[in-house]
Amino acid sequence: MSRIEKDSHGRFNSVGKAYVDGGEFSQKVAEIRFKTFKKQMTLALSGIVYGDRPFYTNYPALIDALIFIHYLSTYPEYRQVAFYGTPRQYLNQSINSPDLPNPQNSP
């Protein structure tokens, strides 16, 4: 789950969260969870973006939204914000998609 926000420059950002821990796990378990999330996030985002193709057809300006994931943890070393590119990058990796909407070329 993510939310769409506009930054101070008028660009769209897609901001999601990954729950590492809320104090219920030991630091070792939190570390394993964090590393697993980091390792698998690109694959997860690829699947999510691919499944949301109809959404991007209806909202073409969001195809170039910047994707940020907030890793939530009580341990400071795992509490991070990571940048994961744009939906367009994931779609270009998964399919040959010259027909994707390009808001920069829109009237």
Side-chain angles (χ1 to χ4, degrees):
M1 184 72 131
S2 71
R3 66 184 185 280
I4 303 296
E5 301 175 344
K6 252 188 182 181
D7 67 16
S8 61
H9 301 288
R11 295 177 299 217
F12 288 109
N13 296 324
S14 178
V15 181
K17 296 178 182 177
Y19 183 83
V20 176
D21 78 285
E24 70 273 46
F25 299 118
S26 69
Q27 187 167 1
K28 184 63 180 166
V29 171
E31 177 184 17
I32 292 167
R33 289 174 57 84
F34 175 74
K35 287 181 176 179
T36 301
F37 279 130
K38 291 282 279 195
K39 181 179 179 183
Q40 299 297 326
M41 190 58 69
T42 300
L43 178 61
L45 289 170
S46 293
I48 292 166
V49 169
Y50 187 80
D52 283 346
R53 287 172 300 156
F55 173 79
Y56 294 112
T57 299
N58 289 313
Y59 301 96
L62 299 180
I63 205 162
D64 294 306
L66 304 178
I67 300 170
F68 295 95
I69 300 295
H70 289 255
Y71 290 92
L72 307 175
S73 176
T74 57
Y75 300 101
E77 58 269 39
Y78 311 128
R79 190 175 25 218
Q80 301 177 7
V81 178
F83 173 67
Y84 283 95
T86 67
R88 183 181 300 277
Q89 291 170 312
Y90 290 95
L91 289 168
N92 285 340
Q93 289 172 7
S94 63
I95 58 173
N96 183 7
S97 53
D99 59 329
L100 287 174
N102 188 343
Q104 296 164 346
N105 294 336
S106 297

